Amino acid sequence: MSEQELNFRDLAARLPASATAHVPPADLWPRIVATHLNRRRQRRWRRLAAGGGALVLVAALAITAGVWRHAATPTIDWQARAQALELQLDALPTPAASNPLAQLAESELAHLDGNLQAAYDRGAAPRDLDPLWQRRSELLDALLSVRRQQVLLSRI
Amino acid sequence: MNDKPATGFAQDIDAMILARAQRGDMAAFEEIYRRYGRACFQLALRLTGQRQTAEDLVHEAFLKMMDTIASYRGEAPFGAWFKRLTANAGIDWLRRQRHVADTGAEASFEQIAAAEADPAGLVDADSLLAHLPPRARTIVVLHELEGYTHAELAGLFGQSESYSKSILARALKRLHALAAPAASTSRVAL
């Protein structure tokens, strides 16, 4: 027989059929199902864990960004600003007649100064003092505007 | 005209079962197992020659099928697609066994030739295949029984076509030499 003619089908036909039943065992399918379901469950858990991880990451990033933004925001030294405004106010000539708006601002300033003093007396923290100094700056700003206006009018 | 119903991997699959399986329906998977499980096991057994390993291959092939069936688009009949998946699982097993190296295949031929084959053990075609080195057996099974071309085998093994042709020729020559006494005994017995 030449090599060209060799083939397995002819050869197998000359031999008896396989005596062994080539049937998979009865428990093979249940085993496959068990592995498949187990893997599916694991994949679901991994997806959940990945989703949870992503959420935690996003939250952490948001917090970090918030902290960074807060840190990056320039803080105003309200105390220094108030003192600077006070110097500007002192430099202006004292008006002959008082203005009702100026009176209002001066009255609130006096009240605020009392509060500031009380806060310092009880040893208040900077975060409690800052709003008082900020309000003082705003009042001085308003008072300065009124005085400048008065000066301008008196010159005319 | 051949009216014989299709068997093994040649069987068709109902479009409804396929659609349900693609949605992950376990009952549909069970129907696929009922239809192709035996063919898958027979191919795995011929490829490996070991019952336990064949079970592992079927296990692996079905898991792979369940994971990838959603991407099956029907370019080839389902049976052919699943047969290829089983064959690939067999070749992966061969790789894990380190039987794929060129030198390994050649050396295995020589080792097996040196061992004396017992004609009494050659009772059927499957036991005859057990006398081939793993890679040669895989090439014989896929080419001679499952209709793979040498070009396809070359792709599967990452070798040239002439390599697969050479292994096949040597394997068939060896099988005929081994089977000659067994076949004549069988004819006498019949």
Side-chain angles (χ1 to χ4, degrees):
Chain A
M1 188 184 279
S2 75
E3 281 190 28
Q4 295 293 320
E5 291 167 326
L6 295 180
N7 74 70
F8 187 73
R9 280 190 188 281
D10 288 349
L11 177 63
R14 299 209 316 267
L15 291 166
S18 175
T20 323
H22 292 163
V23 183
D27 70 336
L28 184 54
W29 176 242
R31 277 192 276 146
I32 293 169
V33 171
T35 312
H36 176 69
L37 294 178
N38 197 27
R39 281 188 186 179
R40 205 151 74 171
R41 227 178 351 256
Q42 281 175 351
R43 273 197 289 262
R44 199 172 298 148
W45 273 112
R46 268 200 295 271
R47 270 200 300 270
L48 275 174
L55 269 178
V56 168
L57 189 67
V58 167
L61 282 173
I63 290 167
T64 310
V67 167
W68 181 82
R69 200 178 307 125
H70 181 73
T73 306
T75 50
I76 300 170
D77 186 346
W78 291 109
Q79 187 177 357
R81 189 163 190 270
Q83 286 162 353
L85 287 170
E86 201 146 19
L87 288 174
Q88 287 180 41
L89 197 64
D90 287 345
L92 287 175
T94 311
S98 189
N99 177 295
L101 277 174
Q103 279 177 349
L104 198 68
E106 280 165 351
S107 149
E108 201 182 331
L109 260 175
H111 178 70
L112 193 65
D113 284 344
N115 287 348
L116 260 171
Q117 190 56 55
Y120 275 108
D121 289 347
R122 68 169 185 271
R127 68 168 181 276
D128 297 324
L129 293 168
D130 251 11
L132 297 175
W133 280 112
Q134 184 180 352
R135 185 61 190 151
R136 193 164 201 280
S137 292
E138 286 163 0
L139 288 171
L140 286 169
D141 225 357
L143 196 56
L144 199 59
S145 297
V146 173
R147 290 267 177 89
R148 278 181 183 146
Q149 193 71 27
Q150 282 180 304
V151 169
L152 195 67
L153 284 173
S154 66
R155 278 184 190 156
I156 293 167
Chain B
M1 196 176 155
N2 187 8
D3 288 337
K4 224 172 117 180
T7 55
F9 288 116
Q11 293 176 88
D12 212 353
I13 190 169
D14 186 72
M16 190 68 86
I17 293 171
L18 181 63
R20 278 169 44 210
Q22 288 182 316
R23 289 196 299 268
D25 183 324
M26 290 308 293
F29 285 141
E30 190 169 359
E31 178 55 35
I32 292 174
Y33 181 81
R34 261 201 294 274
R35 206 164 289 203
Y36 299 100
R38 191 171 173 154
C40 183
F41 184 71
Q42 283 174 347
L43 175 57
L45 199 56
R46 279 183 169 148
L47 288 173
T48 65
Q50 298 161 19
R51 206 175 159 81
Q52 184 55 54
T53 312
E55 285 179 27
D56 293 345
L57 279 197
V58 174
H59 198 125
E60 203 175 313
F62 268 89
L63 288 176
K64 181 92 178 157
M65 181 273 289
M66 288 154 123
D67 284 346
T68 56
I69 195 167
S71 62
Y72 169 70
R73 296 280 170 265
E75 290 91 350
F78 181 80
W81 179 75
F82 188 41
K83 184 169 82 175
R84 182 162 285 270
L85 216 141
T86 309
N88 284 340
I91 289 164
D92 286 346
W93 170 78
L94 268 180
R95 287 201 182 101
R96 286 198 297 271
Q97 302 299 305
R98 301 173 188 277
H99 289 311
V100 283
D102 275 355
T103 49
E106 295 299 318
S108 302
F109 256 120
E110 280 158 25
Q111 273 173 11
I112 286 193
E116 195 65 40
D118 175 12
L122 305 174
V123 289
D124 56 44
D126 290 331
S127 57
L128 192 62
L129 285 171
H131 290 267
L132 288 176
R135 188 172 196 176
R137 183 174 56 233
T138 304
I139 288 175
V140 169
V141 170
L142 293 182
H143 186 271
E144 298 288 292
L145 301 177
E146 302 298 340
Y148 279 62
T149 64
H150 282 294
E152 287 172 314
L153 289 172
L156 283 172
F157 285 102
Q159 296 281 348
S160 66
E161 283 185 47
S162 56
Y163 177 82
S164 138
K165 284 177 187 169
S166 149
I167 296 280
L168 181 68
R170 287 187 66 182
L172 289 176
K173 205 170 166 181
R174 177 160 172 73
L175 290 177
H176 276 82
L178 283 167
S184 55
T185 310
S186 160
R187 272 199 297 272
V188 170
L190 287 169

